């Protein structure tokens, strides 16, 4: 038969999925009560490949998926919480390794002797060019530049996307908060 | 075939004996043979007919303005030939610098059809006897041949990265301020856009108009020239198909590309070795993970490093997940192109999301993974990532595959549209250099994972899935079969994932690669993806060429569409499975 059994079977699969999305809502309603399904705590269950049923989309931006620790947003510069001093030593590794060459660094010099200092006077990252590759963070020998978790970056003008030292600074506690495992490992290495 | 000939060195000696005055070994760091220009066709014919080198994989040109690595100043045309198992045999032909012309191999190997056009377009080497030597990626009025070493782009700053202006006194200068138009634009001297009239057929209509005029008196329908794309939902990107129709039947079809061209290879030659890895992600953006592999493979060959076992296994795991997701999306798109709307596609995207979650967890990005490094991988797989990978490979994805088969494989609507459509005979597939599911659906059991095993592929049991009829339906079946085999490999790899380091040696940002050439190829989801690199011993690639499977596979499109209905073009294109980021580079 030309229009046959298999077409009905396909339609049945789609129909079942459609119904399932409602059934799961009802199941949660009876088991857990009203308004319990769409909460941040249930996200791991709703998103897990083996436990999810029914609708698994989230209502962004009211609800957000957690980003994994390694997520690469745009780079930021880490400073010490207490002293407020940047960890960066202006070694230039990140500017050299950056594939689209969007990092610009001016090395500070001692005003008296004119000798180069181990800190940047100016630091720019053009995030309209940055390809989020993460090489700068990976190859920085001082863990002074890190990939942030900010994803909502927008501007009306391209010039606003050229971040300078002020806009790039983040405290080390922020780094510890978004990269907990990485930070713990680093502390452990320091303690040795 | 002469049975006594085995390894590449044997073949070189054999060829030297056979053609004493035309063939000599290539100079020191190069591999393969150097062939005299006027004897090329003769040698190639002998290779194909007597030595079973049926498969011309890649044609490219390297520009040597000065002698380098033992090569004199010339345009070095490089061919890579493969047998069913083994190879490669690299052929070098030196073309004159003033007037570079070499004989075309299209009459022998139609797979050179697009690749020679590309070489002419980007390098300006003429191929004598090519039936249709026009530009392919750039437009007909373009000024110059951009891959030549003396060609400079509008935003040109320095020959090689890293640019000196970034450190230690780096104040940002917008790139566009370096162009007088504030734009990515440059006119040749004395040229004005207002007075310009195209001297040549810029849009490629002439042969089609000609064909449309010669109407068949016995056929009642008119001949019509039709443009499909570049903005068409079913061309999977910006691809233009120029079609001459007779009624609804196709008389001539020609794919035209280049709308996404960004001269990836020129960018690659400016970059440092390491800096190219994230750029390769942007080629076939559907399967970024496997794009990085042939490049690191080629560089590792030159460096002489071997990644540790754990890194090799992780690479295989990533490559097979990529294959699964590519085929799932490709089948989903086939459904979309058939007009069954987005349901099949959404089911595929749902699985893809999970695989992308895994990629994000291990590499930090969903699509632009930037995960492979020379000698290993960037990060280890965490326990959490392994658990997710196991959940996918052992439970979730097999379930999806069963469901896919239950609603697609025997679906009458799909079969009515797919069976017997777009048949590609095996001889034609080999001659046109087709690879991947497209080739195997025609019944040719050729898979780089078996023909030239790389990484840990020798450790795994898996079958090469082969079709019989070479039509759209068989290509679908081959894809489903390959997804099953991918799961098999994944399950074995996850069960046996060895412990140990993930990098050979230390990661280094400034890497120097020994002088020489190398060709790294893998079985990417869409076919054989090859990177040909030449190093002059410095921190940047001297030549960086990509043999993209989508690009070469597209060459056969005109042949297999002939005589079909216009409505079948979309589904044939979907079954070839292209990504324009890779076609246009
Ligand atoms: S951020 Fe790191 S790599 Fe970049 S200049 Fe500072 S210390 Fe060097
Ligand atoms: S993430 Fe990559 S592109 Fe962006 S600033 Fe760092 S190195 Fe440059």
């Amino acid at each position: 038969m030309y229009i046959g059994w298999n077409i009905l079977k396909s339609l049945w699969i789609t129909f079942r999925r459609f119904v399932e999305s409602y059934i799961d809502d009802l199941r949660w309603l009876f088991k857990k009560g009203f308004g319990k399904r769409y909460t941040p705590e249930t996200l791991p269950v709703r998103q897990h490949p083996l436990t999810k049923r029914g609708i698994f989309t989230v209502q962004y931006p009211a609800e957000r998926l957690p980003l994994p620790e390694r997520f690469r947003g745009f780079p930021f510069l880490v400073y010490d919480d207490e002293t407020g001093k940047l960890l960066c030593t202006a070694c230039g590794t990140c500017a050299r390794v950056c594939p689209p060459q969007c990092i610009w660094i001016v090395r500070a010099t001692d005003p008296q002797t004119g000798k180069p200092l181990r800190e940047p006077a100016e630091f720019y990252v053009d995030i309209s060019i940055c390809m989020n590759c993460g090489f700068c963070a990976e190859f920085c020998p001082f863990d002074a530049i890190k990939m942030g978790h900010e994803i909502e970056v927008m501007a009306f003008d391209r010039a606003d996307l050229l971040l300078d030292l002020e806009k790039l600074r983040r405290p080390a506690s922020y780094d510890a908060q978004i990269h907990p495992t990485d930070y713990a490992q680093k502390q452990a290495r320091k303690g040795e | 075939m002469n049975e006594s000939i085995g390894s590449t060195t044997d073949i070189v000696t054999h060829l030297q004996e056979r053609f004493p005055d035309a063939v000599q070994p290539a100079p020191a760091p190069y591999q393969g043979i150097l062939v005299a220009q006027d004897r090329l066709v003769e040698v190639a014919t002998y290779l194909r007919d007597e030595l079973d080198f049926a498969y011309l994989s890649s044609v490219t040109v390297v520009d040597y303005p000065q002698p380098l690595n033992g090569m004199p100043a010339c345009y070095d045309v490089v061919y890579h030939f493969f047998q069913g198992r083994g190879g490669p045999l690299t052929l070098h032909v030196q073309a004159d610098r003033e007037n570079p012309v070499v004989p075309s191999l299209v009459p022998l190997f139609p797979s050179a059809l697009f690749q020679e056009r590309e070489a002419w377009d980007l390098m300006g080497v003429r191929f004598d006897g090519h039936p249709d030597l026009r530009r392919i990626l750039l437009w007909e009025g373009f000024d110059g041949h951009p891959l030549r070493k003396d060609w400079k782009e509008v935003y040109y700053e320095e020959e090689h990265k890293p640019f000196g202006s970034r450190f230690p006194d780096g104040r940002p200068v917008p790139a566009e301020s370096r162009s007088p138009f504030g734009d990515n634009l440059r006119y040749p001297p004395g040229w004005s856009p207002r007075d310009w009239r195209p001297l040549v057929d810029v849009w490629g209509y002439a042969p089609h108009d000609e064909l449309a005029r010669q109407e068949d008196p016995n056929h009642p329908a008119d001949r019509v020239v039709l443009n499909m794309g570049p903005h068409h939902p079913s061309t999977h990107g910006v691809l233009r198909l120029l079609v001459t129709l007779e009624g609804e039947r196709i008389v001539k079809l020609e794919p035209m590309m280049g709308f996404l061209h960004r001269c990836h290879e020129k960018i690659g030659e400016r970059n440092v070795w390491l800096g190219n890895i994230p750029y390769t992600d942007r080629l076939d953006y559907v399967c970024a993970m496997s794009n990085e592999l042939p490049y690191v493979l080629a560089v590792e060959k030159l460096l002489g490093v071997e990644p540790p076992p754990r890194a090799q296994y992780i690479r295989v795991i990533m490559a097979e997940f990529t294959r699964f997701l590519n085929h799932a999306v490709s089948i989903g798109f086939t459904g979309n192109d058939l007009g069954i709307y987005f349901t099949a596609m959404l089911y595929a995207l749902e699985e893809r999301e999970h695989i992308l979650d895994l990629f994000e967890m291990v590499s930090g990005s969903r699509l632009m993974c930037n995960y492979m490094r020379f000698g290993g991988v960037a990060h280890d797989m965490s326990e959490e990532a392994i658990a997710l990978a196991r959940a996918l490979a052992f439970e979730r994805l097999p379930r999806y595959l069963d469901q896919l088969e239950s609603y697609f494989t025997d679906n009458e609507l799909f079969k009515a549209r797919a069976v017997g459509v777009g048949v590609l005979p095996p001889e034609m597939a080999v001659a046109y250099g087709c690879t991947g599911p497209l080739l195997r659906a025609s019944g040719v059991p050729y898979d780089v994972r078996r023909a030239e095993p790389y990484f840990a592929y020798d450790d795994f049991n898996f079958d090469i899935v082969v079709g019989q009829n070479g039509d759209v339906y068989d290509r679908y079946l081959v894809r489903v079969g390959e997804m099953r085999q991918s799961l098999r490999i994944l399950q074995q790899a996850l069960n046996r994932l060895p412990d140990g380091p993930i990098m050979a040696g230390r990661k280094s940002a400034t890497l120097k690669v020994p002088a020489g050439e190398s060709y790294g190829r893998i079985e990417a989801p869409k076919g054989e993806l090859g990177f040909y690199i030449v190093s002059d011993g410095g921190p940047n690639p001297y030549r960086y060429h990509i043999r993209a499977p989508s690009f070469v596979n597209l060459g056969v499109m005109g042949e297999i569409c002939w005589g079909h209905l216009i409505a079948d073009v979309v589904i044939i294109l979907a079954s070839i499975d292209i990504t324009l980021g890779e076609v246009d580079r």
Side-chain angles (χ1 to χ4, degrees):
Chain A
M1 196 169 66
Y2 187 68
I3 300 294
W5 177 237
N6 282 296
I7 292 176
L8 292 177
K9 206 162 86 182
S10 328
L11 289 173
W12 171 245
I13 290 175
T14 313
F15 181 69
R16 215 179 54 205
R17 283 200 174 218
F18 171 70
V19 173
E20 221 174 47
S21 58
Y22 289 98
I23 287 187
D24 209 53
D25 275 359
L26 292 177
R27 209 185 287 146
W28 280 75
L29 185 64
F30 287 127
K31 265 203 216 148
K32 309 265 166 69
F34 186 74
K36 285 284 160 28
R37 179 168 155 90
Y38 297 102
T39 57
E41 295 77 53
T42 60
L43 259 182
V45 183
R46 275 151 56 204
Q47 294 286 321
H48 193 275
L50 300 182
T51 55
K52 73 179 197 198
R53 300 269 177 289
I55 294 180
F56 71 102
T57 46
V58 295
Q59 305 252 337
Y60 180 86
E63 194 179 13
R64 284 156 200 266
L65 293 176
L67 293 171
E69 184 179 336
R70 245 174 232 161
F71 179 82
R72 305 195 305 259
F74 292 104
F76 64 84
L77 289 172
V78 187
Y79 68 82
D80 196 305
D81 280 77
E82 283 140 35
T83 59
K85 201 170 167 320
L86 287 172
L87 303 188
C88 173
T89 59
C91 69
T93 307
C94 55
R96 275 193 288 266
V97 81
C98 174
Q101 295 283 288
C102 66
I103 302 183
W104 285 265
I105 306 172
V106 181
R107 187 162 52 192
T109 47
D110 195 318
Q112 266 106 51
T113 57
K115 283 220 185 90
L117 290 175
R118 282 168 65 81
E119 61 182 290
E122 290 169 48
F123 201 112
Y124 300 94
V125 178
D126 189 347
I127 60 166
S128 64
I129 299 173
C130 172
M131 68 200 295
N132 313 87
C133 68
F135 276 157
C136 46
E138 198 175 322
F139 288 96
C140 172
F142 301 95
D143 283 322
I145 191 164
K146 289 275 166 187
M147 300 307 281
H149 283 189
E150 284 133 67
I151 45 171
E152 287 131 336
V153 181
M154 66 287 286
F156 286 108
D157 193 352
R158 216 188 111 183
D160 298 342
L161 294 174
L162 181 72
L163 306 185
D164 58 14
L165 206 47
E166 262 332 290
K167 291 193 196 142
L168 286 168
R169 286 163 64 94
R170 299 279 185 289
S173 51
Y174 174 72
D175 179 28
Q177 181 202 332
I178 62 172
H179 301 127
T181 351
D182 198 36
Y183 193 79
Q185 274 172 6
K186 203 169 67 186
Q187 292 310 104
R189 251 181 287 136
K190 257 190 208 159
E192 272 170 22
Chain B
M1 146 122 203
N2 191 334
E3 287 299 330
S4 66
I5 299 172
S7 74
T8 314
T9 38
D10 289 348
I11 293 170
V12 174
T13 355
H14 175 81
L15 283 172
Q16 254 181 300
E17 281 161 16
R18 181 72 177 60
F19 301 96
D21 48 347
V23 170
Q24 61 190 84
Y30 293 91
Q31 299 144 5
I33 54 173
L34 196 63
V35 182
Q37 194 179 316
D38 45 343
R39 306 283 296 278
L40 172 67
V41 175
E42 200 187 322
V43 175
T45 315
Y46 181 76
L47 279 177
R48 186 188 66 168
D49 297 341
E50 307 294 326
L51 298 183
D52 272 2
F53 278 93
Y55 183 52
L56 171 60
S57 167
S58 140
V59 182
T60 187
V61 183
V62 190
D63 177 16
Y64 293 99
Q66 278 92 36
L68 180 88
N69 294 349
M71 255 315 155
C74 65
Y75 288 99
D76 178 26
V77 188
V78 187
Y79 301 85
H80 284 90
F81 289 91
F82 289 96
Q83 289 164 319
R85 216 189 151 99
L89 182 66
T90 319
L91 247 68
H92 293 268
V93 180
Q94 292 173 347
D96 178 42
R97 278 210 69 80
E98 294 307 310
N99 178 26
V101 187
V102 288
S104 167
L105 287 189
V106 175
L108 291 172
F109 296 94
S111 60
L113 194 68
F114 277 15
Q115 302 199 52
E116 286 184 355
R117 274 178 72 186
E118 186 199 338
W120 154 245
D121 190 359
L122 302 180
M123 270 297 189
V125 173
R126 286 201 163 274
F127 291 87
D128 202 14
H130 190 289
D132 185 21
L133 196 65
R134 284 175 296 142
R135 286 184 183 267
I136 185 164
L137 295 173
L138 301 168
W139 62 298
E140 217 35 84
F142 193 85
D143 177 36
H145 301 281
L147 278 183
R148 291 187 173 183
K149 289 285 172 194
D150 56 3
W151 195 94
K152 308 260 189 284
E153 62 273 25
V154 179
Y155 292 166
Y156 176 78
E157 186 168 342
E158 245 177 77
E159 202 54 48
H160 295 304
K161 288 173 186 172
F163 297 146
S165 64
R166 302 299 196 263
F167 178 80
D169 192 18
R171 293 211 164 69
V173 183
E176 53 274 25
S177 66
R178 254 174 268 126
S179 151
F181 301 99
D183 200 348
N184 184 3
L185 194 66
R186 182 182 63 196
Y187 297 147
W191 190 88
S192 143
R194 206 166 294 148
D195 309 328
W196 183 69
R197 296 285 169 276
L199 296 173
V200 281
D201 172 32
V202 175
W203 307 114
Y205 284 118
H208 289 264
D209 287 342
E210 180 62 37
L211 199 64
R213 267 193 296 276
Q214 327 157 341
E215 277 179 14
D216 183 354
N218 302 320
H219 200 287
D222 283 348
R223 285 194 172 177
V224 183
V225 181
L226 180 81
N227 252 317
M228 191 174 149
H231 301 283
H232 189 283
S234 288
T235 52
H236 296 203
V238 274
L239 175 72
R240 172 174 171 231
L241 298 171
L242 189 51
V243 197
T244 304
L245 293 171
E246 190 167 63
E248 275 200 75
R249 302 238 166 238
I250 287 157
V251 187
K252 184 180 164 83
L253 179 141
E254 206 182 341
M256 300 201 161
M257 58 281 259
F259 297 92
L260 272 184
H261 183 64
R262 53 223 184 258
C263 216
H264 183 98
E265 298 177 9
K266 188 86 175 175
I267 299 174
E269 285 161 25
R270 297 243 188 277
N271 268 340
V272 294
W273 290 103
L274 182 77
N276 275 336
I277 297 174
Y279 278 94
T280 58
D281 291 338
R282 275 87 177 156
L283 285 171
D284 180 354
Y285 36 75
V286 181
C287 19
M289 279 282 193
S290 53
N291 286 340
E292 299 165 6
L293 290 172
Y295 175 60
V296 293
L297 188 68
V299 177
E300 279 167 5
K301 273 189 195 169
L302 275 184
L303 287 172
V305 296
E306 170 99 341
R310 186 174 173 90
Q312 300 208 8
Y313 269 63
I314 293 180
R315 282 182 181 183
V316 169
I317 291 171
M318 294 304 152
E320 294 306 319
F321 269 123
T322 310
R323 191 182 320 278
F324 191 98
L325 97 86
N326 178 71
H327 288 353
V329 170
S330 155
I331 292 170
F333 266 124
T334 310
N336 197 22
D337 289 346
L338 276 174
I340 58 172
Y341 299 112
F342 224 56
T343 311
M345 186 70 210
L346 278 179
Y347 292 176
L349 286 181
E350 191 182 344
E351 308 310 311
R352 177 174 177 258
E353 279 307 300
H354 289 299
I355 300 178
L356 293 186
D357 278 345
L358 173 72
F359 287 177
E360 192 180 26
M361 206 182 271
V362 295
S363 76
S365 188
R366 300 176 84 76
L367 291 176
M368 303 298 149
C369 301
N370 188 17
Y371 185 54
M372 308 301 164
R373 298 286 179 274
F374 307 127
V377 294
H379 311 280
D380 205 350
M381 273 176 97
S382 61
E383 285 304 317
E384 196 192 357
I386 293 176
L388 176 59
R390 292 188 75 93
L392 290 176
F394 285 90
E395 288 188 51
R396 172 96 205 176
L397 298 182
R399 221 191 288 153
Y400 162 73
L401 209 48
D402 291 341
Q403 196 188 50
L404 173 76
E405 287 218 81
S406 76
Y407 66 75
F408 228 84
T409 305
D410 288 323
N411 191 313
E412 289 87 350
L413 287 176
F414 176 52
K415 279 178 117 169
R417 287 290 304 276
V419 175
V421 171
V423 176
L424 174 64
E427 304 79 33
M428 189 193 275
V430 173
Y432 272 87
C434 300
T435 41
L438 181 62
L439 174 70
R440 288 188 287 273
S442 300
V444 186
Y446 181 75
D447 188 315
V448 184
R449 288 177 294 176
R450 279 269 189 264
E452 195 190 342
Y454 50 94
F455 307 143
Y457 274 109
D458 262 348
D459 296 1
F460 303 114
N461 287 324
F462 66 98
D463 300 326
I464 295 178
V465 186
V466 180
Q468 286 170 342
N469 308 317
D471 56 3
V472 172
Y473 187 64
D474 270 25
R475 273 168 230 151
Y476 159 77
L477 289 181
V478 167
R479 290 214 168 89
V480 172
E482 280 189 9
M483 283 153 89
R484 286 222 184 277
Q485 298 304 322
S486 283
L487 291 178
R488 249 178 97 188
I489 299 175
L490 280 171
Q491 291 168 358
Q492 296 171 47
L494 285 165
N495 276 340
R496 303 207 301 252
L497 185 64
D499 283 331
I502 50 156
M503 276 294 284
R506 277 194 61 234
K507 261 194 268 201
S508 137
T510 48
L511 178 80
K512 287 212 167 114
V513 174
E517 65 171 354
S518 113
Y519 187 67
R521 58 174 195 153
I522 67 157
E523 184 70 32
K526 295 187 167 70
E528 177 192 321
L529 177 61
F531 278 70
Y532 173 71
I533 53 171
V534 177
S535 168
D536 56 359
N540 309 80
Y542 185 78
R543 180 82 175 95
Y544 165 82
H545 172 74
I546 298 137
R547 185 253 187 231
S550 301
F551 179 69
V552 182
N553 286 353
L554 208 50
V556 82
M557 173 94 189
E559 291 282 342
I560 57 179
C561 283
W562 189 87
H564 280 297
L565 297 176
I566 179 79
D568 290 332
V569 171
V570 257
I571 162 164
I572 293 174
L573 184 68
S575 76
I576 294 180
D577 188 15
I578 57 164
T579 304
L580 268 300
E582 187 180 67
V583 174
D584 294 343
R585 278 160 294 150

